Amino acid sequence: HLAQPHPRGVMSGSPSDFIGQPIKVKTVQQDEMHGELFAVDNKTTNTVILREETGEGRCTYRIIRCPAICAVSKGTGTPASADTPLPAIDFDEVERREAEALEKEATNKHRYGVGVTAEAQDLFDSLDVTMGTGNCTWENDIIVCHGVRIAPPYTAETCSGGDARSSDRVRKVLTEISLKKERGS
């Protein structure tokens, strides 16, 4: 036996010593599973993860609660992962994805206020969606939407600038967002 279950089902000994080794697990319902011990967590989730080969280079992972295990014994064969080579890494693809993620982050950077409250960011997000995504930006702690500057505390009264039509629209939307928030919806 690799490890005996504790009377309460928690594996005793040091199950982590067997990670990567083939094992056979028998549950209290008399189900038997064979595979490689992939992980053990008998502190937080009280589970083991068993890696099972399914053929054609594929595998599946079973998460088994320790209290459901009645026996663990050594399996047959060599650890599956020892025979499985790691896939090749396409570094050009990695660099492309990194550049794409950095570009996306740079594009969206103006959408996140620095040093503003969560309420201010929520207001910005609501305003940006209502006024058309991408039409609002932050300038320090001031929201700028269609040329209209909205200073803290971000009410219709703190709006300035922009043409008359944009200013009226932004003020109306701010008032509606405030009313909606007061109603709790």
Side-chain angles (χ1 to χ4, degrees):
H1 286 316
L2 291 179
Q4 290 295 324
H6 188 275
R8 289 178 306 220
V10 179
M11 294 179 69
S12 63
S14 183
S16 60
D17 291 342
F18 304 104
I19 290 178
Q21 298 300 313
I23 62 170
K24 180 170 71 171
V25 175
K26 188 173 185 178
T27 67
V28 292
Q29 283 107 11
Q30 303 304 307
D31 294 325
E32 281 192 14
M33 293 163 257
H34 304 266
E36 174 187 342
L37 182 59
F38 184 77
V40 176
D41 179 6
N42 55 5
K43 291 188 193 292
T44 313
T45 60
N46 203 20
T47 58
V48 296
I49 301 176
L50 190 65
R51 180 179 188 269
E52 297 174 313
E53 290 295 317
T54 57
E56 298 179 20
R58 296 181 184 263
C59 66
T60 188
Y61 295 87
R62 284 191 194 243
I63 300 173
I64 308 163
R65 291 178 8 124
C66 292
I69 298 172
C70 68
V72 177
S73 58
K74 184 173 182 173
T76 58
T78 59
S81 58
D83 297 336
T84 308
L86 294 174
I89 297 174
D90 182 349
F91 287 104
D92 291 335
E93 176 67 9
V94 170
E95 288 174 359
R96 185 195 65 74
R97 289 178 65 188
E98 177 188 31
E100 189 177 281
L102 290 171
E103 183 179 325
K104 183 178 179 184
E105 186 62 30
T107 302
N108 290 328
K109 186 171 127 179
H110 69 280
R111 299 192 71 232
Y112 302 102
V114 177
V116 300
T117 64
E119 291 82 14
Q121 185 65 53
D122 289 344
L123 174 71
F124 175 93
D125 294 341
S126 296
L127 192 61
D128 194 43
V129 167
T130 304
M131 300 299 286
T133 302
N135 288 308
C136 298
T137 60
W138 284 101
E139 286 183 8
N140 298 316
D141 65 343
I142 296 173
I143 299 172
V144 180
C145 184
H146 291 283
V148 179
R149 299 172 63 78
I150 312 161
Y154 311 106
T155 63
E157 293 77 30
T158 62
C159 292
S160 63
D163 61 55
R165 185 172 177 222
S166 294
S167 181
D168 288 344
R169 176 75 176 137
V170 169
R171 288 173 195 264
K172 182 177 179 181
V173 170
L174 279 172
T175 302
E176 288 298 318
I177 291 171
S178 295
L179 289 172
K180 190 175 182 181
K181 183 178 175 185
E182 286 175 17
R183 288 189 301 255
S185 50

Short mmCIF file of all heavy atoms in Angstrom, two decimals, residues 74-123:
data_model
loop_
_atom_site.label_atom_id
_atom_site.label_comp_id
_atom_site.label_asym_id
_atom_site.label_seq_id
_atom_site.Cartn_x
_atom_site.Cartn_y
_atom_site.Cartn_z
N LYS A 74 -0.25 0.64 -4.97
CA LYS A 74 0.65 0.94 -6.07
C LYS A 74 0.06 0.40 -7.36
O LYS A 74 -0.42 -0.73 -7.42
CB LYS A 74 2.02 0.32 -5.82
CG LYS A 74 3.02 0.65 -6.87
CD LYS A 74 4.40 0.16 -6.52
CE LYS A 74 5.34 0.59 -7.62
NZ LYS A 74 6.71 0.32 -7.32
N GLY A 75 0.09 1.23 -8.40
CA GLY A 75 -0.40 0.81 -9.70
C GLY A 75 0.70 0.14 -10.50
O GLY A 75 1.82 -0.02 -10.03
N THR A 76 0.37 -0.24 -11.71
CA THR A 76 1.35 -0.90 -12.57
C THR A 76 1.83 0.07 -13.64
O THR A 76 1.15 1.04 -13.97
CB THR A 76 0.74 -2.13 -13.24
OG1 THR A 76 -0.41 -1.72 -13.99
CG2 THR A 76 0.34 -3.17 -12.21
N GLY A 77 2.99 -0.22 -14.18
CA GLY A 77 3.53 0.58 -15.27
C GLY A 77 4.37 1.74 -14.76
O GLY A 77 4.62 1.89 -13.57
N THR A 78 4.79 2.53 -15.71
CA THR A 78 5.61 3.70 -15.39
C THR A 78 4.70 4.92 -15.36
O THR A 78 3.63 4.92 -15.97
CB THR A 78 6.72 3.91 -16.44
OG1 THR A 78 6.09 4.07 -17.71
CG2 THR A 78 7.67 2.76 -16.48
N PRO A 79 5.14 5.95 -14.70
CA PRO A 79 4.31 7.16 -14.69
C PRO A 79 4.04 7.63 -16.12
O PRO A 79 4.94 7.69 -16.95
CB PRO A 79 5.17 8.18 -13.93
CG PRO A 79 6.09 7.36 -13.09
CD PRO A 79 6.34 6.09 -13.89
N ALA A 80 2.79 7.93 -16.39
CA ALA A 80 2.39 8.33 -17.74
C ALA A 80 3.12 9.57 -18.20
O ALA A 80 3.53 9.66 -19.34
CB ALA A 80 0.89 8.55 -17.79
N SER A 81 3.30 10.52 -17.30
CA SER A 81 3.93 11.77 -17.71
C SER A 81 5.39 11.59 -18.06
O SER A 81 5.94 12.39 -18.79
CB SER A 81 3.77 12.82 -16.61
OG SER A 81 4.33 12.36 -15.41
N ALA A 82 6.03 10.52 -17.57
CA ALA A 82 7.44 10.30 -17.89
C ALA A 82 7.60 9.93 -19.36
O ALA A 82 8.63 10.21 -19.96
CB ALA A 82 8.01 9.19 -17.01
N ASP A 83 6.58 9.29 -19.94
CA ASP A 83 6.64 8.89 -21.34
C ASP A 83 6.12 9.96 -22.29
O ASP A 83 6.29 9.86 -23.49
CB ASP A 83 5.82 7.61 -21.55
CG ASP A 83 6.38 6.44 -20.77
OD1 ASP A 83 7.59 6.46 -20.46
OD2 ASP A 83 5.60 5.53 -20.47
N THR A 84 5.44 10.96 -21.76
CA THR A 84 4.81 11.96 -22.59
C THR A 84 5.72 13.17 -22.74
O THR A 84 5.98 13.86 -21.76
CB THR A 84 3.47 12.40 -21.97
OG1 THR A 84 2.70 11.25 -21.68
CG2 THR A 84 2.71 13.33 -22.88
N PRO A 85 6.21 13.40 -23.96
CA PRO A 85 7.07 14.57 -24.14
C PRO A 85 6.24 15.85 -24.07
O PRO A 85 5.06 15.86 -24.41
CB PRO A 85 7.66 14.37 -25.54
CG PRO A 85 6.66 13.51 -26.24
CD PRO A 85 6.03 12.65 -25.18
N LEU A 86 6.87 16.90 -23.60
CA LEU A 86 6.19 18.19 -23.56
C LEU A 86 6.03 18.70 -24.99
O LEU A 86 6.88 18.47 -25.84
CB LEU A 86 6.99 19.20 -22.73
CG LEU A 86 7.10 18.89 -21.25
CD1 LEU A 86 8.03 19.87 -20.56
CD2 LEU A 86 5.73 18.91 -20.61
N PRO A 87 4.94 19.40 -25.26
CA PRO A 87 4.74 19.92 -26.61
C PRO A 87 5.75 21.03 -26.91
O PRO A 87 6.24 21.71 -26.01
CB PRO A 87 3.31 20.48 -26.58
CG PRO A 87 3.05 20.75 -25.14
CD PRO A 87 3.85 19.74 -24.37
N ALA A 88 6.03 21.19 -28.20
CA ALA A 88 6.93 22.26 -28.62
C ALA A 88 6.25 23.60 -28.40
O ALA A 88 5.03 23.72 -28.50
CB ALA A 88 7.28 22.09 -30.10
N ILE A 89 7.03 24.61 -28.07
CA ILE A 89 6.48 25.94 -27.85
C ILE A 89 6.78 26.79 -29.08
O ILE A 89 7.93 26.89 -29.50
CB ILE A 89 7.09 26.59 -26.59
CG1 ILE A 89 6.70 25.78 -25.36
CG2 ILE A 89 6.65 28.04 -26.45
CD1 ILE A 89 7.37 26.23 -24.09
N ASP A 90 5.75 27.37 -29.64
CA ASP A 90 5.90 28.26 -30.78
C ASP A 90 6.13 29.66 -30.23
O ASP A 90 5.18 30.38 -29.89
CB ASP A 90 4.63 28.21 -31.66
CG ASP A 90 4.73 29.08 -32.89
OD1 ASP A 90 5.67 29.90 -32.99
OD2 ASP A 90 3.84 28.96 -33.76
N PHE A 91 7.39 30.06 -30.12
CA PHE A 91 7.73 31.33 -29.51
C PHE A 91 7.21 32.51 -30.33
O PHE A 91 6.90 33.56 -29.76
CB PHE A 91 9.23 31.44 -29.26
CG PHE A 91 9.68 30.57 -28.12
CD1 PHE A 91 10.34 29.37 -28.36
CD2 PHE A 91 9.43 30.93 -26.80
CE1 PHE A 91 10.74 28.56 -27.31
CE2 PHE A 91 9.81 30.13 -25.75
CZ PHE A 91 10.47 28.94 -26.00
N ASP A 92 7.10 32.36 -31.64
CA ASP A 92 6.51 33.43 -32.45
C ASP A 92 5.06 33.65 -32.05
O ASP A 92 4.60 34.79 -31.94
CB ASP A 92 6.60 33.09 -33.95
CG ASP A 92 8.03 33.12 -34.46
OD1 ASP A 92 8.87 33.82 -33.86
OD2 ASP A 92 8.30 32.43 -35.48
N GLU A 93 4.33 32.56 -31.80
CA GLU A 93 2.94 32.66 -31.37
C GLU A 93 2.84 33.28 -29.98
O GLU A 93 1.97 34.11 -29.71
CB GLU A 93 2.27 31.27 -31.38
CG GLU A 93 0.86 31.25 -30.86
CD GLU A 93 -0.15 32.00 -31.72
OE1 GLU A 93 0.19 32.42 -32.84
OE2 GLU A 93 -1.28 32.19 -31.25
N VAL A 94 3.76 32.91 -29.08
CA VAL A 94 3.79 33.48 -27.74
C VAL A 94 4.02 34.98 -27.82
O VAL A 94 3.32 35.77 -27.17
CB VAL A 94 4.87 32.80 -26.87
CG1 VAL A 94 5.07 33.54 -25.56
CG2 VAL A 94 4.54 31.35 -26.61
N GLU A 95 4.97 35.41 -28.64
CA GLU A 95 5.26 36.83 -28.79
C GLU A 95 4.09 37.57 -29.43
O GLU A 95 3.77 38.69 -29.04
CB GLU A 95 6.54 37.03 -29.61
CG GLU A 95 7.79 36.65 -28.84
CD GLU A 95 9.05 36.70 -29.68
OE1 GLU A 95 8.98 37.02 -30.88
OE2 GLU A 95 10.12 36.42 -29.11
N ARG A 96 3.42 36.94 -30.39
CA ARG A 96 2.26 37.56 -31.04
C ARG A 96 1.14 37.77 -30.02
O ARG A 96 0.55 38.84 -29.96
CB ARG A 96 1.76 36.69 -32.20
CG ARG A 96 0.61 37.34 -32.99
CD ARG A 96 -0.11 36.35 -33.89
NE ARG A 96 -0.81 35.30 -33.17
CZ ARG A 96 -1.97 35.47 -32.49
NH1 ARG A 96 -2.53 36.63 -32.42
NH2 ARG A 96 -2.54 34.44 -31.88
N ARG A 97 0.88 36.74 -29.21
CA ARG A 97 -0.18 36.85 -28.20
C ARG A 97 0.16 37.89 -27.14
O ARG A 97 -0.72 38.61 -26.66
CB ARG A 97 -0.45 35.49 -27.58
CG ARG A 97 -1.13 34.52 -28.55
CD ARG A 97 -1.37 33.16 -27.99
NE ARG A 97 -2.32 33.22 -26.88
CZ ARG A 97 -2.60 32.20 -26.10
NH1 ARG A 97 -2.03 31.04 -26.30
NH2 ARG A 97 -3.46 32.32 -25.12
N GLU A 98 1.44 37.96 -26.77
CA GLU A 98 1.86 38.96 -25.80
C GLU A 98 1.65 40.37 -26.36
O GLU A 98 1.10 41.25 -25.68
CB GLU A 98 3.32 38.77 -25.42
CG GLU A 98 3.83 39.84 -24.46
CD GLU A 98 5.33 39.78 -24.24
OE1 GLU A 98 6.07 39.38 -25.15
OE2 GLU A 98 5.75 40.17 -23.13
N ALA A 99 2.07 40.58 -27.60
CA ALA A 99 1.91 41.90 -28.23
C ALA A 99 0.44 42.26 -28.35
O ALA A 99 0.04 43.41 -28.10
CB ALA A 99 2.58 41.90 -29.61
N GLU A 100 -0.39 41.29 -28.68
CA GLU A 100 -1.84 41.51 -28.79
C GLU A 100 -2.43 41.91 -27.43
O GLU A 100 -3.23 42.84 -27.34
CB GLU A 100 -2.48 40.22 -29.30
CG GLU A 100 -3.94 40.32 -29.66
CD GLU A 100 -4.44 38.99 -30.22
OE1 GLU A 100 -4.17 38.71 -31.41
OE2 GLU A 100 -5.08 38.23 -29.46
N ALA A 101 -2.02 41.22 -26.38
CA ALA A 101 -2.52 41.52 -25.03
C ALA A 101 -2.06 42.91 -24.58
O ALA A 101 -2.84 43.66 -23.99
CB ALA A 101 -2.06 40.45 -24.04
N LEU A 102 -0.80 43.25 -24.86
CA LEU A 102 -0.28 44.56 -24.47
C LEU A 102 -0.98 45.68 -25.25
O LEU A 102 -1.29 46.73 -24.69
CB LEU A 102 1.24 44.63 -24.69
CG LEU A 102 2.07 43.78 -23.74
CD1 LEU A 102 3.53 43.76 -24.18
CD2 LEU A 102 1.94 44.30 -22.31
N GLU A 103 -1.25 45.43 -26.52
CA GLU A 103 -1.95 46.43 -27.34
C GLU A 103 -3.38 46.63 -26.82
O GLU A 103 -3.85 47.77 -26.71
CB GLU A 103 -1.99 45.97 -28.80
CG GLU A 103 -2.65 46.98 -29.73
CD GLU A 103 -2.65 46.49 -31.18
OE1 GLU A 103 -1.68 45.84 -31.59
OE2 GLU A 103 -3.64 46.78 -31.87
N LYS A 104 -4.04 45.54 -26.48
CA LYS A 104 -5.40 45.63 -25.95
C LYS A 104 -5.39 46.40 -24.63
O LYS A 104 -6.26 47.23 -24.39
CB LYS A 104 -5.98 44.23 -25.76
CG LYS A 104 -7.41 44.22 -25.27
CD LYS A 104 -7.94 42.82 -25.14
CE LYS A 104 -9.37 42.82 -24.63
NZ LYS A 104 -9.87 41.47 -24.42
N GLU A 105 -4.43 46.12 -23.78
CA GLU A 105 -4.32 46.81 -22.50
C GLU A 105 -4.06 48.29 -22.71
O GLU A 105 -4.66 49.14 -22.03
CB GLU A 105 -3.21 46.19 -21.64
CG GLU A 105 -3.14 46.75 -20.24
CD GLU A 105 -4.39 46.51 -19.43
OE1 GLU A 105 -5.08 45.50 -19.63
OE2 GLU A 105 -4.69 47.36 -18.58
N ALA A 106 -3.20 48.64 -23.64
CA ALA A 106 -2.91 50.05 -23.93
C ALA A 106 -4.15 50.75 -24.47
O ALA A 106 -4.43 51.90 -24.13
CB ALA A 106 -1.76 50.17 -24.92
N THR A 107 -4.92 50.05 -25.29
CA THR A 107 -6.15 50.61 -25.85
C THR A 107 -7.18 50.87 -24.77
O THR A 107 -7.89 51.87 -24.79
CB THR A 107 -6.74 49.64 -26.92
OG1 THR A 107 -5.76 49.44 -27.93
CG2 THR A 107 -8.00 50.20 -27.53
N ASN A 108 -7.27 49.98 -23.79
CA ASN A 108 -8.28 50.09 -22.72
C ASN A 108 -7.81 50.87 -21.50
O ASN A 108 -8.59 51.09 -20.57
CB ASN A 108 -8.75 48.70 -22.29
CG ASN A 108 -9.57 48.03 -23.35
OD1 ASN A 108 -10.28 48.68 -24.10
ND2 ASN A 108 -9.47 46.72 -23.43
N LYS A 109 -6.55 51.28 -21.50
CA LYS A 109 -5.97 51.94 -20.34
C LYS A 109 -6.76 53.17 -19.91
O LYS A 109 -6.95 53.42 -18.71
CB LYS A 109 -4.52 52.34 -20.67
CG LYS A 109 -3.74 52.91 -19.54
CD LYS A 109 -2.29 53.03 -19.95
CE LYS A 109 -1.82 54.43 -19.72
NZ LYS A 109 -0.43 54.61 -20.08
N HIS A 110 -7.28 53.91 -20.84
CA HIS A 110 -8.03 55.13 -20.55
C HIS A 110 -9.38 54.85 -19.88
O HIS A 110 -10.01 55.75 -19.37
CB HIS A 110 -8.27 55.93 -21.84
CG HIS A 110 -9.24 55.25 -22.76
ND1 HIS A 110 -8.85 54.22 -23.59
CD2 HIS A 110 -10.57 55.44 -22.95
CE1 HIS A 110 -9.92 53.80 -24.27
NE2 HIS A 110 -10.97 54.52 -23.89
N ARG A 111 -9.79 53.60 -19.84
CA ARG A 111 -11.09 53.23 -19.27
C ARG A 111 -11.03 52.99 -17.77
O ARG A 111 -12.05 52.75 -17.13
CB ARG A 111 -11.63 51.97 -19.95
CG ARG A 111 -11.85 52.17 -21.44
CD ARG A 111 -12.65 51.08 -22.08
NE ARG A 111 -14.02 51.22 -21.61
CZ ARG A 111 -14.72 50.23 -21.06
NH1 ARG A 111 -14.19 49.05 -20.92
NH2 ARG A 111 -15.94 50.43 -20.64
N TYR A 112 -9.84 53.02 -17.17
CA TYR A 112 -9.70 52.73 -15.75
C TYR A 112 -9.16 53.96 -15.02
O TYR A 112 -8.07 54.43 -15.30
CB TYR A 112 -8.78 51.53 -15.52
CG TYR A 112 -9.30 50.30 -16.24
CD1 TYR A 112 -8.74 49.89 -17.44
CD2 TYR A 112 -10.38 49.60 -15.74
CE1 TYR A 112 -9.24 48.78 -18.12
CE2 TYR A 112 -10.89 48.49 -16.42
CZ TYR A 112 -10.31 48.09 -17.60
OH TYR A 112 -10.82 47.01 -18.25
N GLY A 113 -9.96 54.45 -14.08
CA GLY A 113 -9.54 55.60 -13.29
C GLY A 113 -8.51 55.19 -12.26
O GLY A 113 -8.61 54.13 -11.66
N VAL A 114 -7.52 56.05 -12.06
CA VAL A 114 -6.48 55.78 -11.07
C VAL A 114 -6.77 56.62 -9.84
O VAL A 114 -6.95 57.84 -9.94
CB VAL A 114 -5.08 56.12 -11.64
CG1 VAL A 114 -4.01 55.91 -10.59
CG2 VAL A 114 -4.80 55.28 -12.87
N GLY A 115 -6.89 55.97 -8.71
CA GLY A 115 -7.15 56.68 -7.47
C GLY A 115 -8.58 57.15 -7.32
O GLY A 115 -8.86 58.05 -6.55
N VAL A 116 -9.51 56.53 -8.07
CA VAL A 116 -10.92 56.90 -7.96
C VAL A 116 -11.65 55.83 -7.16
O VAL A 116 -11.19 54.69 -7.05
CB VAL A 116 -11.58 57.10 -9.35
CG1 VAL A 116 -10.88 58.21 -10.11
CG2 VAL A 116 -11.61 55.83 -10.15
N THR A 117 -12.81 56.18 -6.64
CA THR A 117 -13.59 55.21 -5.86
C THR A 117 -14.23 54.18 -6.78
O THR A 117 -14.36 54.40 -8.00
CB THR A 117 -14.70 55.93 -5.07
OG1 THR A 117 -15.61 56.51 -6.00
CG2 THR A 117 -14.12 56.99 -4.15
N ALA A 118 -14.67 53.10 -6.19
CA ALA A 118 -15.38 52.07 -6.95
C ALA A 118 -16.66 52.64 -7.53
O ALA A 118 -17.05 52.31 -8.66
CB ALA A 118 -15.68 50.86 -6.07
N GLU A 119 -17.33 53.51 -6.78
CA GLU A 119 -18.56 54.14 -7.27
C GLU A 119 -18.28 54.99 -8.50
O GLU A 119 -19.07 55.01 -9.45
CB GLU A 119 -19.22 55.00 -6.18
CG GLU A 119 -19.79 54.20 -5.03
CD GLU A 119 -18.74 53.80 -3.99
OE1 GLU A 119 -17.60 54.36 -3.99
OE2 GLU A 119 -19.03 52.92 -3.18
N ALA A 120 -17.16 55.72 -8.48
CA ALA A 120 -16.80 56.55 -9.64
C ALA A 120 -16.51 55.67 -10.86
O ALA A 120 -16.93 55.99 -11.97
CB ALA A 120 -15.58 57.41 -9.31
N GLN A 121 -15.82 54.56 -10.64
CA GLN A 121 -15.54 53.65 -11.77
C GLN A 121 -16.83 53.03 -12.29
O GLN A 121 -17.01 52.90 -13.50
CB GLN A 121 -14.55 52.56 -11.35
CG GLN A 121 -14.12 51.66 -12.49
CD GLN A 121 -13.33 52.40 -13.58
OE1 GLN A 121 -12.35 53.07 -13.29
NE2 GLN A 121 -13.75 52.26 -14.82
N ASP A 122 -17.75 52.66 -11.40
CA ASP A 122 -19.05 52.12 -11.83
C ASP A 122 -19.82 53.14 -12.65
O ASP A 122 -20.43 52.80 -13.66
CB ASP A 122 -19.89 51.69 -10.62
CG ASP A 122 -19.36 50.44 -9.94
OD1 ASP A 122 -18.54 49.72 -10.55
OD2 ASP A 122 -19.78 50.18 -8.79
N LEU A 123 -19.80 54.40 -12.20
CA LEU A 123 -20.47 55.47 -12.94
C LEU A 123 -19.84 55.62 -14.32
O LEU A 123 -20.54 55.71 -15.33
CB LEU A 123 -20.39 56.80 -12.18
CG LEU A 123 -20.94 57.99 -12.94
CD1 LEU A 123 -22.46 57.90 -13.03
CD2 LEU A 123 -20.51 59.29 -12.30
#
